[in-house]
Amino acid sequence: MTTKHKQVVDPTVTFWGAARTVTGSMHQLDAGGRTMLLDCGLFQGHREESRRRNQEFPFRPKDIDAVLLSHAHIDHSGNLPNLVRQGFAGPVYCTPATRALAAVMLGDAAKIQEEDAAYLNRKRQKGDPKVEPLYDGRDVYRTLHQLEAVPYDTPTAVGKGVELTFVDAGHLLGSAMIGLRLDGPSGERRLTVTGDLGRRGLPILRDPAAVPPADLLISESTYGGQTHEPVDETAERLGRVVRETVARGGKLLIPAFSVGRTQTVVYFLHQLVKAGRLPDIPIYVDSPLAARATEVFRAHPECFNDETLRLLQADPDLFGERRIRYVENVNDSIALNGRSESCVIVAASGMCEAGRILHHLKHNIEDPRNTVLIVGFQAPNTLGRRLVERRPEVRILGRTFALKAEVVVLNGLSSHADHAELLRDLGPLAGTARHVRLVHGEPERAEALAAALRTTGFADVVIPDRGDHVTA
Ligand SMILES: [Zn+2]
């Protein structure tokens, strides 16, 4: 370890991921003679490029002293086990709920990495080198021992002259903005990293807290220039789609990410049922990961908003355990396709590229009575995107199917702030933040937010490229 020989410089951030894109969040912070990472996410894109980008770090993992983790989503946490595998031995600071969620998410990610490597090895030509998974279950186990929980709003020294405070980001259970006070040769500097910034009015979670004041502000920009449908209208429409589908005797399929989005959908469905506004039909959540994540949600009421706490006091059945059936076993999942009555099936994965949703789509999209409800962003070149575009035919698991089911898109369940919400939350820092760096956004989205911030009094608003750095 070379820490004691490091030159002490004013706090400097170097951008290694989520620069002009939305995945692979990872920034390097040099401050107080220490080197820290702000998030360590998986880059997700084309297979070859992703493998290379995730495999090779642009620094020596054993030179990193600590990681500050904003939340458990894989594009922010998913490369931690690889960092540990390659020699990182320091603490990973995160909130208690993030530590618990990361345990289920990284375990699942390791399984996917191992399956992916096994698949590539089966396709390997004679003489090709064996493909190793990026990391495996043992690396995840070691990583989990390095996670150190720091509750919200609790200033904590994480190095000489480095004080960390997590404040609620309102984006996912346990999600936090990272507020830092950093000593440097030119005096104290404040750095705020929004991580993924949530929205007001989302169910279960509290609204985002005030963005901590900062000399250097690093903000996400996912939905710069865009507007989301209000959350309550979206819940109304969800109810309407269920009723219409049931009225024609169909099934409703909802592809959804297992952690975050699934719990939001389930919460709304359960509330609608309790209010007598949905017919009494079976609701299945077909994802073992979602079942485990929901357990973590239940175990962390310290993250809930007041309304959810009130509901919980009146009725502990917050996620409808008594009514909603969580399908763990593959055979039970397959058996769902043999049932003819109306039902709702929420299944992994979000963009319909893998997971149990594929089997349900295969059996149900040729029947016009059924509905596929899309509740999240669908990247180009995914089956999810082709469904959104309502292509007359789609290929699923190597076969062509006619798309006859209705496809409905609900955009209001996003857990990211939209343009107006970003401006409102960042606004109080205008005039005091001397540098603003926008990350975690496609260039067009980040540019739209940058332009608006400049007109509202922010100076030095820049969208960094990979490898760029800024000194606070
Ligand atoms: Zn996120």
Side-chain angles (χ1 to χ4, degrees):
M1 191 57 98
T2 56
T3 308
K4 62 178 178 293
H5 303 300
K6 273 180 196 162
Q7 206 187 345
V8 176
V9 292
D10 278 320
T12 300
V13 175
T14 310
F15 301 92
W16 292 125
R20 297 180 172 266
T21 181
V22 293
T23 73
S25 280
M26 183 171 71
H27 317 300
Q28 177 181 335
L29 167 64
D30 288 281
R34 288 163 67 84
T35 300
M36 289 160 278
L37 285 187
L38 304 162
D39 287 341
C40 186
L42 269 191
F43 177 83
Q44 293 152 316
H46 287 292
R47 191 191 288 261
E48 266 314 303
E49 191 194 359
S50 301
R51 266 196 85 77
R52 204 175 48 248
R53 277 282 287 272
N54 291 322
Q55 183 66 48
E56 295 160 16
F57 290 102
F59 43 75
R60 292 196 308 179
K62 67 177 170 41
D63 290 345
I64 302 296
D65 298 297
V67 178
L68 314 181
L69 177 62
S70 66
H71 66 295
H73 275 148
I74 285 300
D75 60 326
H76 293 257
S77 72
N79 215 11
L80 278 170
N82 183 30
L83 191 76
V84 168
R85 185 184 177 106
Q86 295 193 36
F88 167 66
V92 178
Y93 297 102
C94 60
T95 65
T98 292
R99 184 170 66 173
L101 261 192
V104 297
M105 296 188 74
L106 294 178
D108 188 70
K111 215 172 69 195
I112 293 169
Q113 294 297 339
E114 291 175 71
E115 284 167 4
D116 216 36
Y119 170 82
L120 290 174
N121 282 326
R122 278 199 303 277
K123 296 215 141 190
R124 185 163 58 125
Q125 305 289 326
K126 227 177 166 176
D128 285 353
K130 187 164 182 269
V131 177
E132 289 292 328
L134 194 60
Y135 52 81
D136 59 26
R138 280 170 311 209
D139 302 311
V140 170
Y141 184 75
R142 287 167 56 207
T143 304
L144 297 181
H145 281 281
Q146 289 170 234
L147 300 188
E148 285 196 20
V150 175
Y152 286 123
D153 306 316
T154 308
T156 303
V158 297
K160 194 166 167 288
V162 182
E163 186 191 83
L164 159 74
T165 308
F166 286 129
V167 302
D168 201 332
H171 163 74
L172 174 71
L173 191 88
S175 69
M177 292 183 256
I178 299 169
L180 289 162
R181 285 176 177 275
L182 305 162
D183 286 342
S186 315
E188 187 188 87
R189 294 283 187 270
R190 288 168 306 174
L191 164 62
T192 294
V193 187
T194 64
D196 286 353
L197 192 55
R199 302 172 67 190
R200 286 174 171 72
L202 282 181
I204 309 162
L205 304 177
R206 282 191 294 268
D207 289 347
V211 178
D215 300 290
L216 168 58
L217 168 66
I218 299 174
S219 175
E220 68 128 310
S221 56
T222 318
Y223 288 102
Q226 294 191 321
T227 304
H228 297 320
E229 204 171 80
V231 178
D232 44 358
E233 276 177 34
T234 305
E236 285 295 313
R237 283 184 59 202
L238 173 64
R240 210 156 54 228
V241 174
V242 179
R243 289 192 296 273
E244 285 167 5
T245 305
V246 172
R248 54 178 189 247
K251 292 182 186 176
L252 178 66
L253 304 185
I254 310 179
F257 288 112
S258 303
V259 181
R261 193 60 47 87
T262 290
Q263 287 74 26
T264 303
V265 169
V266 164
Y267 176 92
F268 277 140
L269 288 172
H270 181 55
Q271 297 308 323
L272 288 165
V273 169
K274 270 199 342 189
R277 296 173 55 210
L278 281 192
D280 194 8
I281 55 163
I283 299 172
Y284 301 98
V285 177
D286 191 7
S287 155
L289 175 61
R292 284 195 291 275
T294 304
E295 286 301 321
V296 175
F297 272 66
R298 282 193 201 108
H300 285 275
E302 82 278 8
C303 300
F304 294 172
N305 61 29
D306 289 344
E307 188 192 353
T308 304
L309 289 173
R310 216 167 35 244
L311 286 170
L312 199 58
Q313 266 176 355
D315 175 13
D317 189 26
L318 184 64
F319 293 99
E321 310 57 351
R322 285 197 297 271
R323 172 180 310 275
I324 294 166
R325 274 159 261 187
Y326 288 84
V327 183
E328 296 264 356
N329 184 298
V330 177
N331 290 330
D332 293 342
S333 169
I334 293 166
L336 289 181
N337 292 312
R339 310 182 74 103
S340 55
E341 80 271 20
S342 283
C343 63
V344 177
I345 301 174
V346 185
S349 73
M351 298 195 201
C352 311
E353 277 299 284
R356 293 184 178 179
I357 191 67
L358 288 178
H359 297 278
H360 298 304
L361 288 169
K362 201 174 84 174
H363 283 94
N364 291 295
I365 67 163
E366 295 201 311
D367 185 339
R369 293 175 301 170
N370 298 334
T371 305
V372 181
L373 181 64
I374 303 284
V375 294
F377 175 75
Q378 307 298 315
N381 304 314
T382 60
L383 173 57
R385 175 66 74 94
R386 288 188 276 275
L387 293 173
V388 168
E389 291 167 352
R390 298 179 176 83
R391 303 268 180 99
E393 289 183 336
V394 289
R395 282 186 74 77
I396 303 174
L397 297 169
R399 273 182 56 202
T400 302
F401 294 84
L403 173 55
K404 293 192 181 135
E406 188 184 2
V407 178
V408 177
V409 178
L410 284 189
N411 281 325
L413 293 182
S414 172
S415 57
H416 283 270
D418 69 8
H419 185 79
E421 291 164 327
L422 282 165
L423 286 182
R424 184 180 53 198
D425 289 343
L426 302 180
L429 276 69
T432 56
R434 288 182 294 123
H435 311 284
V436 181
R437 295 293 178 272
L438 298 182
V439 296
H440 203 288
E442 297 294 337
E444 195 189 340
R445 305 271 72 87
E447 292 289 357
L449 181 62
L453 288 174
R454 288 184 195 115
T455 62
T456 53
F458 283 92
D460 190 32
V461 183
V462 173
I463 303 157
D465 266 319
R466 187 163 190 262
D468 284 357
H469 54 85
V470 59
T471 298

